[in-house]
């Protein structure tokens, strides 16, 4: 084994390690939804290449309103689904679309685009 | 409803309507429950008794009260209250809307105050928590715009509930899609043109003429390649921009997608080529210093073309919903203040009288109040034959009036109409997920990073143990692997089919609530049919008249009908209808006496008539002369026989029965043909139930089941380990529908949003069940085809790209072929989903 082969393998393994760490091992801290005077826990979600923020923390038993704003034209993201709450919404570009629901049980729920390329998580405490 | 004191004497200026008029004001109140002239007087008296009312007239036919009153003394609420206290109803409409800016309890009183002083508003309650107001108002006096204006005048803003997507929104969407398509096509042409030159000039030694101009390793070739480097960079920047921005946006969210893979693949090829071009000395041999700009350019161009084709195909997937939305009528002709006016359909209010002429669309849902016609409801129910409609029948918005002119009272408008509910349900369902999708979701979360890891492993392996030139092989393998992987095909497999399948259902009068119902419906084993209203019409009709003792059949029926006219028994109505249907004028009966559980006696045309069951005849000692045997025969056929005796002598039998719908038998045969076990459930006695079951070809019957036990019976069948569907009406059978694995509700006209059901059949026919199951089978077959196809594609494509065939067959995939394969695979998935649209319901 020559030195260049060793170098390529070492770099390759390091890259693989980085991919595993970057995509799967890092835990993202969530953003806590703000409580409005109307009693809703509101959070703005930007839809552009993904959901920002993509981890949202809310309290159980209080209504939640997620305001989605889609700022891209890729047809992938034109819908957002919250299968756990049986909600879905079409997101026209540039419009704010509110999605309201009441999380009853604590737990982690996913929201995603129709193809599952964009994902976000709702942590109910 | 809170009664408002008449003292609240505010000549309100808060509405835009009829406000600020000094002196006597006139309102038109809808009054219902008026049946006779006495009622008219009672209502008029009650209204005139209200202080401030100067004149009150009530129109019996129109069901309206016209009241002149002094707004400083009386309010509309007081008038409304007066009508109510006289024992009649004045129909009010309820509206609920969101209000922005409610921050404190004092806002509530302010808004409520503003609403209550609006003429026509009867009650208003505002909730701080929900930021909502619920207002009850008389649509003839105030309209919703006036109510909202009142909120505005108090300094708050009304939040509109999101309306169902109108044609405009769809147009916008289509336009955006068209723009995107054009931009992609421009990118494709740019990439394609440069791609042709790059491909030729990357291998000039293949082409006879070029061979002499640009020999291998010559300085001229170096300059050409440098030019290509710049041109291909331009292609990356312009044609490939979405891959790089998409990859970057995804990376910020710690995720990776198709864009990441394409960006990596084309980027790596470009960077390698540029290094080889600029610093050939770092490579050990000259064959390493070739460039791969052609890979960069052609892959980018091909994938962009694939995206454009995908966009085109996707636009077609949602055609069904576009068709539904396009059905909405734009204008309506309503009667306001006695005149016919054309108004936009959004402004039609509940209670309005709408005029429809032949050839026009019915604008909203309602009940015919005048006239009759044949209405083509195929667009909503899927029923191809026009339906005859007469006074009292329901009409559905968006259907087409064929022959006659009629007027109807609007009962559901705006987002409450059947069509709007259908559109909303279909949109929700199209956005839902098929349970199999969950596996895909898990897989796709790991897919893209795994492909990147595979590409790195491939590079390492080829570099470490591969043949020379190692770095070239390693590079090609890594780039090909990145490009051939197609997470999109996997991700699009189910949503595309689901959208098409649910749209297909909607166009055939079948509303499927979501992917789960769809997936379950195609693996059903047992189907339970409720008898009344599902297999049968749910309404008894006269079936047999058996005359005896020298009485003529017509005579028997005419007299029996005359007696039954006074009865309130549901079976009596069937006899009366049957007699009238044969054109008889029914005589009046006197001395009517109903004996519960036995029958009735009365005198009609001077003759004593007895009508009742066997026990009744025995009690009255009527000799039956063999009529009882005939009755038994009828009962065996599922009919209910009633004996008639005239002047103490037997005169015959009239039999009524709930008849089987014309197409039930066929539908049940089709269901059995699909291998389903068909079970009938009913509250009827065993004999009647068996008789009906025989007629339609059902073997297993659950008879004498109390309504509350239906759900339990569904569960019993489920405990046999079967996937059970229940078909029934959405109201009485709701618990059983909810208990079943799939609940089919037989819809009745406009009432389509039936909560307990998974699948709603708008047309009340069992054939819909057959079609629904066939659609779900076709859709799920399509889903599996797509999933398996996408899965196999990736499972085969990745190892080939990694060069697994090279040691055996010496085949190594070119990155260009990989780009074609990957674009082709995602277009195939969509094309396959679109194929579903050509599915036609077979005659069942």
């Amino acid at each position: 084994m020559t030195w260049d082969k060793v170098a390529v393998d070492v770099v390759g393994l390091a890259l693989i390690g980085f991919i595993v760490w970057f995509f799967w091992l890092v835990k993202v801290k969530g953003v806590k939804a703000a409580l409005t005077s109307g009693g809703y826990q509101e959070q703005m979600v930007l839809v552009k290449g993904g959901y920002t923020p993509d981890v949202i923390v809310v309290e159980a038993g209080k209504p939640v309103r997620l305001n989605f704003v889609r700022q891209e034209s890729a047809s992938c993201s034109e819908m957002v689904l919250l299968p756990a709450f049986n909600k879905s919404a079409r997101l026209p570009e540039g419009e704010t679309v509110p999605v309201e629901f009441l999380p009853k049980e604590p737990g982690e729920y996913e929201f995603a685009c129709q193809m599952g390329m964009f994902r976000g998580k709702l942590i109910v405490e | 409803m809170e009664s408002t004191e008449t003292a609240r004497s505010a000549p309100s200026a808060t509405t835009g309507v009829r406000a600020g008029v000094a002196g006597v004001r006139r309102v038109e109140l809808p009054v219902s429950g008026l049946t006779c002239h006495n009622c008219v007087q009672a209502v008029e008296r009650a209204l005139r008794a209200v202080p401030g009312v100067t004149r009150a007239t009530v129109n019996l036919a129109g069901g309206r009260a016209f009241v002149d009153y002094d707004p400083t003394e009386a309010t509309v609420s007081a008038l409304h209250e007066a009508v109510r206290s006289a024992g009649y109803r004045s129909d009010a409409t309820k509206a609920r809307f969101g209000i922005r800016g409610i921050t404190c309890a004092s806002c509530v009183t302010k808004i409520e105050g503003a609403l209550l002083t609006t003429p026509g508003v009867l009650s208003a309650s505002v909730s701080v928590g929900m930021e909502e107001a619920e207002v009850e108002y008389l649509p003839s006096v105030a309209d919703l715009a006036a109510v909202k204006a009142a909120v505005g005048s108090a300094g708050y803003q009304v939040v509109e509930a999101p309306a169902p997507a109108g044609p405009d929104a769809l147009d916008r969407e289509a336009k955006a899609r068209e723009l995107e398509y054009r931009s992609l096509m421009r990118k494709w042409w740019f990439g394609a043109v440069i791609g042709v030159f790059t491909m030729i000039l990357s291998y000039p030694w293949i082409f006879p003429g070029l061979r002499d101009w640009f020999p291998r390793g010559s300085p001229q070739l170096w300059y050409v390649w440098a030019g290509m480097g710049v041109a291909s960079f331009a292609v990356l920047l312009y044609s490939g921009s979405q891959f790089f921005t998409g990859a970057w946006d995804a990376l910020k969210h710690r995720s990776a997608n198709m864009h990441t893979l394409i960006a990596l693949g084309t980027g790596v090829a470009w960077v390698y080529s540029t290094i080889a071009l600029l610093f050939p000395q770092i490579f050990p041999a000259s064959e390493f210093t070739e460039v791969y700009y052609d890979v960069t350019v052609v892959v980018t161009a091909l994938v962009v073309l694939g995206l454009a084709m995908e966009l085109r195909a996707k636009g077609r997937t949602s055609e069904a919903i576009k068709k539904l939305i396009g059905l909405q009528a734009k204008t309506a002709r309503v009667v306001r203040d006695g005149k016919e006016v054309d108004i936009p359909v959004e402004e039609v209010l509940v209670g309005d009288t709408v005029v429809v002429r032949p050839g026009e669309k019915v604008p909203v849902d309602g009940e015919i109040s005048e006239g009759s016609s044949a209405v083509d409801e195929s667009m909503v129910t899927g029923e191809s034959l026009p339906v005859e409609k007469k006074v009292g029948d329901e009409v559905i918005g968006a259907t087409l009036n064929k022959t006659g002119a009629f007027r109807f009272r609007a009962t559901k408008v705006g987002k409450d109409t059947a069509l709007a509910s259908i559109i909303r349900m279909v949109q929700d369902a199209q956005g839902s997920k098929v349970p199999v999708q969950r596996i895909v979701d898990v897989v796709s979360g790991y897919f893209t990073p795994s492909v990147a890891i595979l590409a790195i492993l491939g590079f390492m392996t080829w570099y470490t143990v591969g043949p020379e030139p190692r770095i070239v092989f390693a590079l090609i393998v890594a780039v090909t692997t990145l490009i051939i992987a197609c997470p999109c095909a996997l991700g699009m497999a189910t949503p595309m089919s689901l959208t098409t399948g649910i749209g297909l259902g909607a166009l055939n009068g079948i509303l499927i609530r979501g992917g789960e119902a769809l997936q379950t419906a195609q693996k059903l084993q047992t189907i339970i049919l409720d008898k009344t209203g599902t297999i049968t019409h749910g309404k008894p009709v006269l079936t047999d008249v058996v005359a005896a003792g020298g009485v003529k059949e017509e005579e028997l029926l005419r007299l029996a009908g005359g007696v039954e006219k006074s009865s309130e028994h549901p079976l009596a109505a069937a006899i009366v209808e049957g007699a009238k249907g044969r054109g008889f004028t029914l005589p009046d009966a006197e001395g009517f006496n109903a004996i519960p559980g036995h029958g009735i006696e009365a005198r009609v045309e001077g003759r004593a008539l007895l009508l009742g069951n066997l026990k009744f005849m025995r009690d009255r000692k009527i000799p039956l002369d063999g009529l009882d045997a005939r009755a038994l025969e009828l009962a065996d056929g599922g009919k209910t026989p009633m004996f008639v005796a005239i002047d103490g002598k037997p005169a015959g039998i009239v039999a009524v029965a709930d008849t089987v719908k014309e197409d039930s038998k066929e539908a049940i045969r089709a269901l059995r043909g699909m291998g389903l076990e068909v079970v009938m459930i009913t509250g009827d006695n065993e004999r009647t139930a068996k008789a009906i079951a025989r007629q339609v070809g059902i073997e297993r019957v659950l008879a004498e089941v109390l309504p509350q036990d239906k759900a339990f019976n569904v569960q019993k069948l489920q405990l046999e380990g079967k996937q059970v569907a229940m078909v029934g009406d959405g109201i009485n059978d709701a618990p059983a529908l909810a208990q079943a694995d799939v609940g089919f509700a037989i819809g009745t006209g406009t009432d389509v949003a039936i909560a307990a059901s998974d699948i709603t059949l708008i047309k009340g026919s069992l054939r819909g069940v057959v079609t629904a199951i066939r659609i779900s089978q076709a859709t799920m077959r399509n889903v599996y085809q797509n999933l398996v196809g996408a899965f196999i594609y990736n499972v085969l494509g990745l190892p080939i790209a990694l060069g697994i065939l090279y040691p055996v067959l010496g085949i190594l995939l070119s990155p260009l072929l990989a780009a074609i394969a990957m674009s082709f695979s995602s277009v195939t998935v969509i094309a396959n989903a679109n194929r579903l649209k050509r599915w036609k319901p077979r005659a069942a």
Side-chain angles (χ1 to χ4, degrees):
Chain A
M1 196 110 130
T2 52
W3 66 267
D4 58 313
K5 288 184 183 174
V6 175
V8 162
D9 290 349
V10 168
V11 171
L13 286 175
L15 272 175
I16 291 172
F18 174 77
I19 290 173
V20 171
W21 170 81
F22 183 85
F23 288 109
W24 299 324
L25 296 183
V26 180
K27 282 264 173 276
V28 188
K29 263 185 70 183
V31 174
K32 189 134 174 53
L35 199 65
T36 59
S37 57
Y40 275 95
Q41 311 182 71
E42 279 207 59
Q43 179 62 49
M44 203 78 167
V45 183
L46 177 72
V47 184
K48 194 180 175 221
Y51 301 111
T52 316
D54 54 0
V55 180
I56 297 161
V57 182
V58 295
E59 278 172 51
K62 287 183 188 159
V64 175
R65 186 185 289 142
L66 300 180
N67 296 307
F68 288 92
V69 189
R70 174 162 162 255
Q71 291 187 346
E72 62 168 16
S73 57
S75 59
C76 259
S77 58
E78 69 191 3
M79 270 195 118
V80 62
L81 315 180
L82 291 101
F85 304 99
N86 239 332
K87 292 271 174 188
S88 67
R90 217 163 258 281
L91 309 175
E93 199 181 339
E95 269 173 47
T96 306
V97 180
V99 176
E100 294 173 12
F101 53 93
L102 183 71
K104 289 192 187 115
E105 300 283 320
E108 291 193 358
Y109 304 97
E110 220 182 43
F111 56 96
C113 74
Q114 213 181 16
M115 287 182 231
M117 298 315 296
F118 295 2
R119 285 143 187 280
K121 204 164 40 177
L122 191 82
I123 299 174
V124 181
E125 291 180 335
Chain B
M1 186 187 317
E2 204 181 312
S3 92
T4 325
E5 320 90 286
T6 32
R8 202 199 288 279
S9 53
S12 170
T14 47
T15 78
V17 176
R18 293 170 220 212
V21 183
V24 173
R25 204 180 285 180
R26 168 166 245 224
V27 291
E28 197 184 317
L29 294 175
V31 181
S32 46
L34 293 172
T35 48
C36 54
H37 192 65
N38 283 348
C39 319
V40 170
Q41 284 171 341
V43 174
E44 286 178 352
R45 256 201 312 276
L47 283 170
R48 282 189 202 121
V50 176
V53 171
T54 50
R55 213 166 72 95
T57 50
V58 174
N59 178 328
L60 175 65
R64 296 205 160 223
F66 301 90
V67 189
D68 292 346
Y69 70 106
D70 182 352
T72 56
E73 280 185 70
T75 63
V76 176
S77 324
L79 302 178
H80 182 250
E81 198 50 39
V83 173
R84 267 165 47 96
S85 62
Y88 302 93
R89 278 171 305 145
S90 174
D91 287 331
T93 308
K94 267 200 181 129
R96 184 195 277 274
F97 47 84
I99 296 175
R100 199 171 291 154
I102 306 183
T103 47
C104 52
S106 69
C107 311
V108 172
T109 26
K110 210 166 144 194
I111 298 170
E112 282 182 355
L115 285 169
L116 285 173
T117 48
T118 305
V121 171
L122 304 170
S123 76
S125 77
V126 174
S127 128
V128 188
M130 299 300 287
E131 297 192 350
E132 258 181 5
E134 196 177 288
V135 182
E136 201 176 354
Y137 65 99
L138 295 171
S140 53
V141 184
D143 56 9
L144 197 53
V147 173
K148 286 177 179 168
V151 175
S153 73
Y156 299 89
Q157 206 187 335
V158 172
V159 186
E160 297 291 336
D168 298 347
L170 274 189
D171 282 350
R172 265 212 314 278
E173 220 166 89
K175 218 171 265 168
R177 209 166 246 166
E178 185 60 33
L179 280 180
E180 172 103 9
Y181 175 76
R182 278 202 211 135
S183 135
L184 282 173
M185 284 312 276
R186 271 196 304 274
K187 290 175 172 183
W188 143 251
W189 283 117
F190 182 69
V193 169
I194 293 187
V196 169
F197 286 108
T198 340
M199 278 199 16
I200 295 168
L201 292 171
S202 291
Y203 315 96
W205 47 87
I206 301 174
F207 304 94
L210 294 172
R211 194 180 300 156
D212 312 326
W213 288 5
F214 306 110
R216 249 180 159 154
S218 64
Q220 324 60 310
L221 189 58
W222 191 92
Y223 284 111
V224 169
W225 281 358
M228 270 160 49
V230 175
S232 58
F233 190 63
V235 172
L236 280 187
L237 277 189
Y238 174 66
S239 304
S241 57
Q242 70 268 34
F243 302 132
F244 289 90
T245 52
W248 178 244
D249 282 333
L251 221 55
K252 280 195 295 195
H253 293 95
R254 289 179 185 273
S255 71
N257 51 33
M258 183 200 80
H259 296 319
T260 320
L261 296 176
I262 302 298
L264 265 179
T266 54
V268 164
W270 190 84
V271 169
Y272 173 87
S273 309
T274 309
I275 292 173
L277 196 67
L278 296 179
F279 313 105
Q281 62 276 18
I282 65 166
F283 294 94
S286 69
E287 62 258 43
F288 295 159
T289 61
E290 278 175 15
V291 296
Y292 297 96
Y293 290 126
D294 55 331
V295 172
T296 308
V297 177
V298 177
V299 167
T300 305
L302 284 176
V303 177
V304 164
L305 179 66
L307 286 181
M309 284 161 66
E310 205 179 296
L311 204 67
R312 259 290 133 92
K314 253 188 187 171
R316 283 201 290 272
T317 312
S318 51
E319 256 169 21
I321 205 102
K322 249 175 257 168
K323 266 189 211 160
L324 285 176
I325 289 173
L327 289 176
Q328 279 163 347
K330 306 260 181 312
T331 60
R333 185 171 303 122
V334 302
V335 180
R336 290 267 167 93
D337 293 327
K339 283 193 290 284
E340 289 182 16
V341 281
D342 280 334
I343 57 169
V345 70
E346 296 82 26
E347 289 178 17
V348 179
L349 296 170
V350 170
D352 271 341
T353 300
V354 185
V355 185
V356 187
R357 296 193 189 136
E360 285 181 343
K361 261 187 191 171
V362 178
V364 295
D365 296 353
E367 210 183 279
I368 295 190
S369 53
E370 220 182 305
S372 67
S373 180
V375 178
D376 177 7
E377 296 186 336
S378 60
M379 54 295 281
V380 178
T381 64
E383 171 66 65
S384 49
L385 293 174
V387 185
E388 291 294 331
K389 300 275 182 181
K390 55 181 192 307
V391 172
D393 283 347
E394 227 172 22
V395 286
I396 308 174
T399 56
L400 194 67
N401 178 27
K402 288 284 206 198
T403 51
F406 61 87
R407 288 174 174 221
F408 72 95
R409 203 179 72 83
T411 53
K412 284 180 187 155
V413 300
K415 61 183 189 342
D416 300 325
T417 61
L419 185 69
S421 316
I422 291 172
I423 292 170
R424 206 165 37 241
M425 265 179 75
V426 170
Q427 277 179 336
D428 281 352
Q430 287 183 333
S432 71
K433 284 194 173 181
V434 189
V436 293
Q437 171 89 12
R438 281 189 207 126
I439 308 161
V440 180
D441 284 348
V442 174
V443 172
S444 64
Y446 290 95
F447 187 83
T448 323
S450 304
V451 169
I453 291 174
L454 275 179
I456 295 170
L457 283 174
F459 189 93
M460 283 159 60
T461 314
W462 279 87
Y463 193 82
T464 315
V465 299
E468 294 291 344
R470 289 174 320 192
I471 190 161
V472 172
F473 278 112
L475 182 82
I476 288 180
V477 161
V479 169
T480 312
T481 306
L482 288 173
I483 285 164
I484 203 165
C486 188
C488 260
L490 214 54
M492 282 183 309
T494 55
M496 287 294 133
S497 310
L498 183 71
T499 306
T500 320
I502 285 177
L504 190 65
L507 293 179
N508 285 290
I510 294 158
L511 300 180
I512 302 166
R513 199 165 284 272
E516 200 160 343
L518 201 71
Q519 183 171 341
T520 322
Q522 51 98 35
K523 54 180 183 197
L524 288 171
Q525 290 160 304
T526 300
I527 188 156
I528 308 176
L529 308 176
D530 181 44
K531 193 206 89 178
T532 313
T534 302
I535 298 176
T536 66
H537 286 285
K539 208 177 122 192
V541 291
L542 178 73
T543 53
D544 296 82
V545 182
V546 181
V551 185
K552 280 208 190 88
E553 217 173 88
E554 294 87 52
E555 181 77 355
L556 175 69
L557 187 57
R558 200 171 58 83
L559 296 178
V563 173
E564 292 284 28
K565 209 165 59 168
S566 315
S567 170
E568 280 163 3
H569 199 275
L571 295 181
I575 295 175
V576 174
E577 283 281 311
K580 277 186 181 162
R582 296 191 192 183
F584 300 145
T585 7
L586 302 182
D588 286 326
E590 346 163 333
F592 182 85
N593 181 24
I595 302 118
H598 288 78
I600 46 178
E601 59 180 327
R603 291 193 73 78
V604 56
E605 290 182 351
R607 303 165 81 172
L609 203 122
L610 299 177
L611 200 153
N613 57 18
L614 189 64
K615 193 159 184 289
F616 190 44
M617 295 296 136
R618 293 240 165 94
D619 280 0
R620 297 301 174 98
K621 311 222 160 42
I622 308 287
L624 288 172
D625 303 341
L627 268 181
D628 43 348
R630 183 84 183 91
L632 210 61
E633 225 171 85
L634 288 167
D636 274 334
K639 294 164 186 167
T640 309
M642 280 173 281
F643 296 96
V644 184
I646 297 173
D647 295 331
K649 284 198 272 304
I653 302 173
V654 284
V656 299
D658 187 6
T659 51
V660 171
K661 286 182 194 168
E662 298 71 30
D663 45 16
S664 290
K665 189 174 179 181
E666 257 177 290
I668 287 165
R669 195 170 48 220
L671 287 172
R672 292 171 61 120
M674 286 179 196
L676 287 162
E677 179 193 15
V678 183
V679 180
M680 184 172 96
I681 197 166
T682 176
D684 286 356
N685 64 55
E686 191 95 27
R687 179 188 279 167
T688 317
K690 283 255 165 73
I692 297 278
R694 257 199 312 277
Q695 278 181 42
V696 293
I698 294 180
E699 274 156 23
R700 192 165 172 186
V701 178
L702 303 172
E704 287 161 58
V705 179
L706 297 172
Q708 62 267 31
D709 290 342
K710 279 183 183 169
F712 173 65
N713 275 280
V714 171
Q715 201 183 17
K716 269 208 298 204
L717 281 165
Q718 284 171 324
L719 288 176
E720 293 175 17
K722 289 169 179 155
Q723 294 275 343
V724 179
M726 167 83 199
V727 188
D729 78 74
I731 300 135
N732 301 320
D733 301 330
L737 291 180
Q739 172 65 40
D741 295 297
V742 179
F744 287 86
I746 295 263
T748 48
T750 63
D751 210 10
V752 291
I754 300 167
S757 69
D758 300 306
I759 297 178
T760 305
L761 312 169
I762 306 175
K763 175 173 53 169
S765 152
L766 268 181
R767 257 186 313 187
V769 178
V770 181
T771 315
I773 293 177
R774 289 212 174 123
I775 286 179
S776 65
Q777 281 171 345
T779 308
M780 287 311 293
R781 198 161 46 232
N782 201 274
V783 164
Y784 287 123
Q785 281 165 357
N786 275 349
L787 272 183
V788 169
F791 187 71
I792 288 182
Y793 165 81
N794 280 301
V795 161
L796 288 182
L798 282 171
I800 294 176
L802 281 167
I804 210 160
L805 293 180
Y806 187 80
V808 198
L809 302 169
I811 295 173
L812 196 58
L813 210 58
S814 137
L816 306 185
L817 276 179
I820 293 173
M822 125 77 170
S823 299
F824 186 69
S825 76
S826 50
V827 172
T828 311
V829 162
I830 299 173
N832 189 39
N834 278 336
R835 205 173 48 92
L836 248 192
K837 275 196 311 205
R838 290 206 301 271
W839 187 91
K840 286 266 176 321
R842 268 177 290 164

